[in-house]
């Protein structure tokens, strides 16, 4: 069993009078973690929001009916809670009327679950996001040396639990995941009939990892208008498949102010979309894979360690660029990512001069663990 970092965060918040909301993409391990956390306790009742009878149960529920159903249970888990109509009101009812019960709700689509729970559960919830297994979780599982040896493999196949636990079947597992399963919520919620357009958009994004993206250009590639492209990207982001990074701009006239890059939360999904599982040594996109890996892993660390940081990239009209900028506690940290530790680079003097409270560091394959641990 690979233990997840969120387990400790959640355990500390049990029975504090608030619901615990866990969101994340499909198949990242939410169900497994909860069952492990409570050791399949007989004091737990599990309700799956995908089941029609569970949806009907909550249709006109009252506190009296809930009490009779839940009985003496200590924990109630509502999996895929976003499938239940007006779920926020129902979760609030349990939290307010049966305070002795710890409520846990999961969802694989934040746009649905969050929109329905945020207002009713204001001040009544702890909210977490769960991602594919992280570099740090694997280091804690079998040690730093072993995980560093596996980095070339991780850059190609990623960190989905099924991928890690089924060596030799990585390609088939990722093919199934990337073949619309991960996008089930988008397709269902928005009633998108032409799923091939969605896949084509993701493929176009996959080829542009590490580069600035243009919605207009993506629209031309996919045969969609700019507004639809933006809408799809937001939905894919809210399903925890991709995320955007915006350009950092404060006080320099030639800084790009409205640019963006798009990354995948998992390298394996990115590679599955473009059907490229070639070994690292033969690839011409190793720079993009390394950058996507480091930035996505850093986002996991910030979330799990509850670190409040803002993330950007930086670029000027004269093509000067920094891969990743992070700001927190009054400090600005700039990072350049290079797979090869001997790669040449120039220190961004213009950036450091204009932002005197900043620092700069090169992250390469020989020193990256300090960035992620």
């Amino acid at each position: 069993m690979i233990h997840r970092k969120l387990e400790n965060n959640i355990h500390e918040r049990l029975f504090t009078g608030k619901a615990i909301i866990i969101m994340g993409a499909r198949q990242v391990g939410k169900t497994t973690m909860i069952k492990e956390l409570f050791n399949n306790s007989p004091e737990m009742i599990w309700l799956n929001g995908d089941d029609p009878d569970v949806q009907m149960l909550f249709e006109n529920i009252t506190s009296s009916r809930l009490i009779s159903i839940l009985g003496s249970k200590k924990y109630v888990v509502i999996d895929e809670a976003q499938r239940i109509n007006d779920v926020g009101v129902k979760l609030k009812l349990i939290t307010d009327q049966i305070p002795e019960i710890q409520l846990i709700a999961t969802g694989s689509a934040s746009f649905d679950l969050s929109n329905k729970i945020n207002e009713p559960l204001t001040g009544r919830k702890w909210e977490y996001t769960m991602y594919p297994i992280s570099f740090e979780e694997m280091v804690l599982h079998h040690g730093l040396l072993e995980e560093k040896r596996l980095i070339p493999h991780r850059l190609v196949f990623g960190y989905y639990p099924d991928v890690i636990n089924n060596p030799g079947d990585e390609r088939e597992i990722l093919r199934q995941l990337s073949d619309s399963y991960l996008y089930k919520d988008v397709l269902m919620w928005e009633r998108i009939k032409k799923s091939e357009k969605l896949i084509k958009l993701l493929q176009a994004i996959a080829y542009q990892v590490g580069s600035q993206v243009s919605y207009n250009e993506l629209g031309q590639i996919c045969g969609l208008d700019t507004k639809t492209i933006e809408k799809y990207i937001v939905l894919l982001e809210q399903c925890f498949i991709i995320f955007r990074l915006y350009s950092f701009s404060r006080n320099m006239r030639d800084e790009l102010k409205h640019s963006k890059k798009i990354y995948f939360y998992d390298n394996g999904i990115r590679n599955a979309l473009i059907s490229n599982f070639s070994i690292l040594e033969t690839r011409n996109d190793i720079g993009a894979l390394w950058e996507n890996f480091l930035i996505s892993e850093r986002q996991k660390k910030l979330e799990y360690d509850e670190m409040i940081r803002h993330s950007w990239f930086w670029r000027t009209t004269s093509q000067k660029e920094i891969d990743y900028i992070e700001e927190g506690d009054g400090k600005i940290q700039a990072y350049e990512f290079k797979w090869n530790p001997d790669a040449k680079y120039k220190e961004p003097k213009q950036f450091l001069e204009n932002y005197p409270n900043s620092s700069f560091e090169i992250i390469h394959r020989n020193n990256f663990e300090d960035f992620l641990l």
Side-chain angles (χ1 to χ4, degrees), residues 186-195 198 232 235:
V186 178
L187 299 173
M188 186 181 298
W189 184 245
E190 286 298 313
R191 296 179 176 84
I192 297 171
K193 294 179 181 178
K194 295 183 178 180
S195 60
L198 195 67
Y232 283 8
L235 291 173

Side-chain angles (χ1 to χ4, degrees), residues 265-319:
Y265 278 115
D266 187 76
N267 273 33
I269 295 299
R270 183 265 179 183
N271 289 328
L273 284 162
I274 61 173
S275 302
N276 187 353
F277 294 115
S278 300
I279 62 172
L280 205 63
E281 290 78 5
T282 66
R283 302 181 72 116
N284 59 11
D285 60 352
I286 188 168
L289 291 176
W290 183 235
E291 185 173 329
N292 194 91
F293 168 78
L294 289 173
I295 292 178
S296 61
E297 286 299 314
R298 183 67 179 180
Q299 300 312 301
K300 295 176 191 177
K301 177 177 175 58
L302 296 180
E303 173 73 21
Y304 294 159
D305 290 354
E306 299 182 336
M307 297 168 65
I308 300 173
R309 298 287 189 274
H310 296 294
S311 303
W312 298 276
F313 71 96
W314 180 77
R315 192 168 187 179
T316 68
T317 54
S318 57
Q319 307 301 304

Side-chain angles (χ1 to χ4, degrees), residues 6-232:
L6 273 185
E7 289 178 27
N8 292 334
N9 302 39
I10 292 168
H11 194 268
E12 290 174 1
R13 300 273 166 76
L14 292 175
F15 297 104
T16 56
K18 297 184 180 184
I20 291 173
I21 310 297
I22 306 168
M23 293 185 289
R26 292 175 175 275
Q27 298 292 303
V28 295
K30 300 186 295 294
T31 299
T32 302
M33 180 188 70
I34 294 171
K35 288 181 176 178
E36 175 71 11
L37 190 63
F38 299 115
N39 198 25
N40 282 319
S41 169
E43 296 182 301
M44 176 177 69
I45 183 169
W46 194 284
L47 303 170
N48 192 331
D50 274 333
D51 294 340
D53 57 343
V54 172
Q55 296 170 11
M56 287 294 295
L57 170 68
F58 279 96
E59 201 60 43
N60 296 296
I61 200 72
T62 64
S63 57
S64 299
R65 176 96 167 110
L66 273 172
I67 290 169
S68 67
I69 292 168
L70 301 179
S72 59
K73 301 293 185 183
K74 284 179 63 178
Y75 312 101
V76 55
V77 179
I78 304 178
D79 203 12
E80 299 298 344
Q82 76 271 10
R83 299 282 177 249
I84 297 168
N85 287 330
D86 296 320
V87 67
V89 175
K90 313 297 169 57
L91 299 183
K92 178 179 181 293
L93 184 66
I94 297 173
T95 304
D96 288 352
Q97 300 300 320
I98 322 176
E100 64 272 18
I101 279 181
Q102 176 60 65
L103 172 63
I104 300 105
T106 78
S108 56
S110 68
F111 61 87
D112 197 353
L113 188 55
S114 290
N115 286 348
K116 290 184 177 179
I117 69 172
N118 275 343
E119 190 172 339
L121 282 182
T122 300
R124 294 178 174 86
K125 63 181 170 69
W126 299 109
E127 189 170 315
Y128 300 97
T129 303
M130 191 172 186
Y131 302 104
I133 292 171
S134 70
F135 170 77
E136 184 173 6
E137 286 167 335
M138 289 308 300
V139 167
L140 292 171
H141 177 66
H142 61 194
L144 177 61
L145 181 59
E146 179 63 21
E147 190 55 25
K148 286 190 74 172
R149 287 172 176 166
L150 286 165
I151 287 302
H153 188 80
R154 305 294 191 219
L155 290 179
V156 175
F157 294 109
Y159 275 110
Y160 266 83
D162 270 0
V163 169
I164 288 174
N165 289 324
N166 294 281
D169 294 327
E170 296 95 340
R171 289 171 173 80
E172 180 59 22
I173 291 167
L174 286 166
R175 186 192 66 77
Q176 291 178 10
L177 275 173
S178 64
D179 188 17
S180 81
Y181 181 75
L182 278 181
Y183 331 125
K184 180 180 177 181
D185 297 289
V186 178
L187 299 173
M188 186 181 298
W189 184 245
E190 286 298 313
R191 296 179 176 84
I192 297 171
K193 294 179 181 178
K194 295 183 178 180
S195 60
E196 69 274 8
K197 297 273 188 181
L198 195 67
I199 301 297
K200 199 168 185 179
L201 171 60
L202 280 161
Q203 289 171 338
I205 293 170
Y207 281 116
Q208 296 186 33
V209 162
S211 302
Q212 295 168 82
V213 297
S214 159
Y215 290 166
N216 185 51
E217 182 183 335
L218 291 174
Q220 291 174 2
I221 293 171
C222 304
L224 296 168
D225 62 77
T226 304
K227 286 187 177 179
T228 303
I229 290 291
E230 185 166 13
K231 175 184 176 183
Y232 283 8

